[in-house]
Amino acid sequence: MTTSALTSEFLDALGARTGIRVEFYDPTGTRYGFPTFPFRLAPDALATRRQLRADGLCPGGFDPVAQILWRHKKQRRIAYLYRRDLAKPKRIASPAQLAVIERMLIARRTCGTCGNTRDYYIPRSIGTCLSCAAGGHR
């Protein structure tokens, strides 16, 4: 991906017209060491992990090529951007894997003391259902 594909005409024109430098706009990576964009102003060819997941994709083992920086409650936040054209389809769990997951979730709801399956997960801090923890078996 070329540097020209990462530039924003809007932000470049804003800087040229007003002389104002947008804080987190650095498509060449000279200021932050990595191509950087402000919140909601990244090129369409790049996407975060969440955006890829929403499209049924994953980064496919590739490293991020850029980042988004923004401030939130006096903290600097960061989100990494991946190339959409290199993204691969998400893996789908097999029926056997889904069956194992279902059994594991049932085991998390089964009390080790009374053996009842509850409609909530057994708290790991006490190790039994809430009825057994209160002292009685129901």
Side-chain angles (χ1 to χ4, degrees), residues 92-110:
I92 306 298
S94 70
Q97 289 171 324
L98 293 174
V100 168
I101 291 169
E102 181 66 26
R103 287 196 306 266
M104 289 188 309
L105 293 177
I106 290 172
R108 287 183 61 194
R109 295 187 352 244
T110 304

Side-chain angles (χ1 to χ4, degrees), residues 72-117:
H72 178 74
K73 296 183 180 178
K74 298 184 180 180
Q75 284 186 317
R76 185 182 285 185
R77 298 280 178 106
I78 187 169
Y80 293 109
L81 297 170
Y82 301 86
R83 290 177 49 176
R84 285 186 187 269
D85 60 340
L86 297 178
K88 296 183 178 173
K90 280 193 320 184
R91 295 184 322 181
I92 306 298
S94 70
Q97 289 171 324
L98 293 174
V100 168
I101 291 169
E102 181 66 26
R103 287 196 306 266
M104 289 188 309
L105 293 177
I106 290 172
R108 287 183 61 194
R109 295 187 352 244
T110 304
C111 177
T113 304
C114 65
N116 291 333
T117 301

Side-chain angles (χ1 to χ4, degrees), residues 7 22 40 49 52 64 71 79 81 84 87 89 95 100 105 109 125-126:
T7 60
V22 178
R40 295 190 185 205
R49 279 185 180 268
L52 290 176
R71 291 194 189 283
L81 297 170
R84 285 186 187 269
V100 168
L105 293 177
R109 295 187 352 244
S125 59
I126 57 177

Side-chain angles (χ1 to χ4, degrees), residues 6-84:
L6 297 178
T7 60
S8 168
E9 293 179 18
F10 169 74
L11 293 174
D12 288 336
L14 178 69
R17 187 176 71 245
T18 62
I20 297 172
R21 183 185 83 183
V22 178
E23 181 181 12
F24 296 127
Y25 180 62
D26 180 24
T28 59
T30 55
R31 196 171 346 146
Y32 295 104
F34 206 47
T36 304
F37 300 94
F39 189 69
R40 295 190 185 205
L41 292 174
D44 292 333
L46 303 177
T48 63
R49 279 185 180 268
R50 277 193 186 186
Q51 291 169 331
L52 290 176
R53 191 176 9 178
D55 294 339
L57 302 170
C58 68
F62 292 99
D63 292 330
V65 295
Q67 64 187 356
I68 296 173
L69 288 177
W70 72 97
R71 291 194 189 283
H72 178 74
K73 296 183 180 178
K74 298 184 180 180
Q75 284 186 317
R76 185 182 285 185
R77 298 280 178 106
I78 187 169
Y80 293 109
L81 297 170
Y82 301 86
R83 290 177 49 176
R84 285 186 187 269

